[in-house]
Amino acid sequence: MYIIGEEEIDAVARVIRSGKLFRYDDTSECSVFERRYGEFLGAAHVGLTSSGTSALTAALVGVGIGPGDEVIVPAHTYMATAVSVLAVGAIPVIVDIDESICLDPQAVERAIGPQTRAVIPVHMWGQICDMDAIMKVADAHNLIVVEDACQAVGGAYGKRMAASIGHAGAFSFNYFKNISCGEGGAVVTSDRAVYQRAICAIDCCRYFWNDRETDAPHFTYSGSRASEIEGAILNAQLDRLPGMIASMREQKQRILRETADLGLGAVPRHSPEGECATATMFALPTAEQARDFAERVSGTILLKTGRHTYHEWTPILEHRGGPHPATNPYEMPQNAACRKEYSRDMCPRSLEILSRTVSIGNNPKRTDEDVTKLVGRIREAAAAVLETTSAE
């Protein structure tokens, strides 16, 4: 969370004073946010959830993914992307990223098999996937596209907002995202039938509250409804979002402009004007140089971010996809033909790219003076790290 203040406090106080903490009312905070966020994204339907994971899961339910299906996911994403696939009974197939730190469209095409039914491109660290290339592959092979925009709230691919390009999309609003209500998420689609199924996954009792006119088949599901307090905070946060994103884009453009002569490899961007710019990333020639550079600039090596890289997804690598054998997708007879072979070294290209990529976080509260100092540290670090290599 970048900024929170009196506006959010006032919004929460308003909800508490009203005594209406339950969301089902057209004037509720949750309903208002869903309408506003849909307009912001250019999407017809938005459904709030309790987390990004539940939003991804609802999106997959919405598009009809289930047992017998394979879903392609990138080797670098939070583990929840693959967990959501397992949550609907399907099997995640893990493929390489490219130098953009996002899903490699060519790797997607190479990985398509007889059971492959969907792909989840992840807009990672605020970077935006090559959506034209991914949609071209998906269209050619009749694949469903569910965009994971959990780390790209406010991002866009050209003039199209992240999560509005595929068949459905998902966002997270947890503490670490561009706007936050502590925990929370949203499923997004412009397909009414997909939305109706996704909403049923979010709240199977919604029908009894205010959605009796739905023509979608009703089913039971675990549910992940958002509260009015979350909706109130998000309405205040949404007002802040455009300014924060603009500030970070300006910072990143300046950092890249003022370090362009150093010989550092700026990570490729598919949508420079539309990305969130939550981080400035450099690809060093070697992993050793990346470690040295990261230490000097207080950056992070992307291979060392925990559950964001597949080789750390221990329950998935060990096929522990559910609490009971009968609910574990890896044990389901419907998934017998799906590919389930994983190993910690199965995507060496991704591991190599991540081992030498350094991320430096941006912040909308950073001043011009702060940026000047950061650029100075980057220049000093690059000179030390790259000169050492040339001397050798």
Side-chain angles (χ1 to χ4, degrees):
M1 177 175 282
Y2 291 115
I3 301 171
I4 190 167
E6 291 301 320
E7 293 86 351
E8 287 84 356
I9 293 170
D10 290 345
V12 171
R14 208 165 46 242
V15 169
I16 293 173
R17 290 192 183 102
S18 75
K20 298 178 180 178
L21 274 68
F22 189 58
R23 66 151 296 167
Y24 285 135
D25 179 331
D26 284 344
T27 63
S28 72
E29 293 284 349
C30 289
S31 296
V32 169
F33 177 79
E34 288 168 347
R35 288 193 293 271
R36 293 181 65 209
Y37 200 50
E39 291 170 2
F40 177 77
L41 297 171
H45 307 289
V46 174
L48 275 175
T49 71
S50 59
S51 71
T53 309
S54 58
L56 277 168
T57 303
L60 290 168
V61 170
V63 297
I65 298 300
D69 297 331
E70 294 176 348
V71 179
I72 293 173
V73 302
H76 187 62
T77 176
Y78 188 53
M79 190 172 75
T81 307
V83 168
S84 68
V85 176
L86 293 167
V88 298
I91 299 295
V93 172
I94 303 166
V95 307
D96 271 316
I97 59 165
D98 59 24
E99 287 78 4
S100 71
I101 313 301
C102 294
L103 185 63
D104 181 351
Q106 295 180 13
V108 172
E109 189 151 37
R110 290 193 297 268
I112 295 170
Q115 306 301 123
T116 309
R117 189 151 174 247
V119 56
I120 303 181
V122 181
H123 304 299
M124 196 66 184
W125 306 115
Q127 298 268 104
I128 304 297
C129 294
D130 187 352
M131 288 306 298
D132 281 347
I134 290 170
M135 294 304 293
K136 183 178 180 180
V137 171
D139 289 345
H141 296 274
N142 197 30
L143 298 183
I144 294 166
V145 177
V146 174
E147 291 177 76
D148 181 341
C150 290
Q151 295 198 8
V153 180
Y157 180 74
K159 295 183 179 180
R160 295 172 293 174
M161 298 300 290
S164 72
I165 302 165
H167 299 87
F171 290 95
S172 170
F173 302 126
N174 77 16
Y175 182 75
F176 301 100
K177 301 306 188 287
N178 294 343
I179 62 173
S180 172
C181 56
E183 286 288 356
V187 60
V188 177
T189 184
S190 288
D191 186 313
R192 184 170 179 268
V194 170
Y195 171 71
Q196 288 178 326
R197 284 179 53 83
I199 285 296
C200 193
I202 294 167
D203 182 4
C204 62
C205 288
R206 181 186 179 102
Y207 169 85
F208 300 103
W209 295 110
N210 72 343
D211 208 20
R212 288 180 179 266
E213 294 181 0
T214 180
D215 53 11
H218 201 65
F219 54 86
T220 62
Y221 208 68
S222 57
S224 54
R225 194 168 54 216
S227 78
E228 277 293 88
I229 288 176
E230 291 169 310
I233 294 173
L234 285 171
N235 275 309
Q237 288 275 295
L238 184 57
D239 292 336
R240 301 182 188 275
L241 180 61
M244 294 192 302
I245 294 292
S247 175
M248 290 189 289
R249 285 175 183 160
E250 184 178 342
Q251 282 179 40
K252 183 167 182 176
Q253 289 294 90
R254 181 184 166 193
I255 293 167
L256 291 174
R257 184 172 62 250
E258 296 182 12
T259 60
D261 62 324
L262 301 180
L264 289 168
V267 167
R269 297 177 292 162
H270 298 300
S271 183
E273 302 304 318
E275 66 174 357
C276 297
T278 49
T280 304
M281 294 185 250
F282 296 100
L284 280 292
T286 68
E288 183 178 358
Q289 287 171 291
R291 289 193 294 271
D292 190 1
F293 182 77
E295 184 174 346
R296 292 171 185 269
V297 299
S298 299
T300 301
I301 296 170
L302 291 186
L303 189 63
K304 305 293 183 180
T305 58
R307 297 294 184 265
H308 292 105
T309 304
Y310 78 95
H311 71 322
E312 297 282 357
W313 303 347
T314 304
I316 291 170
L317 298 181
E318 296 180 358
H319 290 180
R320 288 185 276 120
H324 188 282
T327 61
N328 182 353
Y330 292 109
E331 302 294 331
M332 291 179 180
Q334 298 97 320
N335 291 326
C338 295
R339 292 166 291 175
K340 314 179 192 72
E341 301 80 18
Y342 307 133
S343 69
R344 283 184 165 78
D345 58 358
M346 64 186 285
C347 293
R349 182 184 176 214
S350 297
L351 298 179
E352 192 274 332
I353 290 170
L354 295 167
S355 73
R356 56 183 177 80
T357 301
V358 176
S359 174
I360 303 168
N362 296 319
N363 193 304
K365 294 185 287 186
R366 187 179 280 157
T367 66
D368 287 343
E369 183 180 356
D370 292 334
V371 176
T372 298
K373 291 177 181 178
L374 175 58
V375 168
R377 290 200 304 274
I378 292 172
R379 295 189 69 85
E380 290 175 5
V385 171
L386 298 178
E387 279 181 12
T388 300
T389 303
S390 60
E392 292 173 353

